Amino acid sequence: MKVLVMNGPNLNLLGKREPAIYGAQSLADINALLEKEAAQLDIQLSFYQSNHEGDLVDKLHEAMTGQDGVILNAGGYTHTSVALRDAVSAIGIPVVEVHMSNIAAREAFRHQSYLSGVCMGTICGFGADSYLLALRALAGRTPSHS
């Protein structure tokens, strides 16, 4: 099984950006945790981070061929991007939306996700473990096309 882990704007600053909300782990730390878990689940991971909406859309389109699932933390684009929603809807592979913080317990504008309705599921509020839970969900519900 092949899974793409995608991260949107400002997630390259994890560990430095608002550690009271997002924790002290860097994106590289989270990716290392995912690699360890993926090895136990026999999953091949690839990673992508961009601060640019169009680049994220392009990467989702690429995932249609060669990926069995996507873990997506779209960051702030979660609450604004119809383009990302349309891309998730169009690619025809399972996508799990993740957020490190509990977006429902934050500012009102973060309560609306444009992505949730087109994703396999949404996991939020568990810090870096949100990614691990998403990986396990994909492993348990996605047939391998490798």
Side-chain angles (χ1 to χ4, degrees):
M1 173 186 283
K2 295 179 182 178
V3 173
L4 171 63
V5 180
M6 288 184 55
N7 286 282
N10 300 310
L11 291 160
N12 56 307
L13 299 178
L14 285 175
K16 299 174 188 168
R17 174 185 174 224
E18 300 177 272
I21 295 173
Y22 300 108
Q25 292 174 301
S26 70
L27 189 56
D29 294 336
I30 293 169
N31 290 348
L33 288 172
L34 284 166
E35 286 280 13
K36 184 176 178 182
E37 183 73 12
Q40 294 177 9
L41 296 170
D42 195 28
I43 296 174
Q44 180 184 352
L45 295 179
S46 56
F47 299 95
Y48 184 75
Q49 188 279 325
S50 178
N51 295 316
H52 305 281
E53 183 179 28
D55 292 343
L56 294 166
V57 169
D58 289 342
K59 196 66 172 180
L60 283 167
H61 292 177
E62 289 175 23
M64 288 175 68
T65 56
Q67 299 293 332
D68 299 305
V70 176
I71 296 170
L72 174 60
N73 185 340
Y77 288 138
T78 300
H79 321 290
T80 64
S81 181
V82 173
L84 279 177
R85 177 190 174 90
D86 289 349
V88 169
S89 183
I91 62 174
I93 60 174
V95 177
V96 178
E97 175 187 8
V98 300
H99 301 283
M100 296 180 70
S101 67
N102 180 355
I103 60 175
R106 297 192 56 200
E107 304 92 339
F109 71 87
R110 295 186 196 275
H111 299 178
Q112 167 85 28
S113 169
Y114 282 29
L115 304 174
S116 297
V118 294
C119 287
M120 181 176 101
T122 300
I123 300 171
C124 68
F126 297 100
D129 286 344
S130 294
Y131 290 89
L132 294 171
L133 292 166
L135 185 64
R136 291 178 192 135
L138 282 170
R141 296 190 55 194
T142 307
S144 178
H145 300 290
S146 309

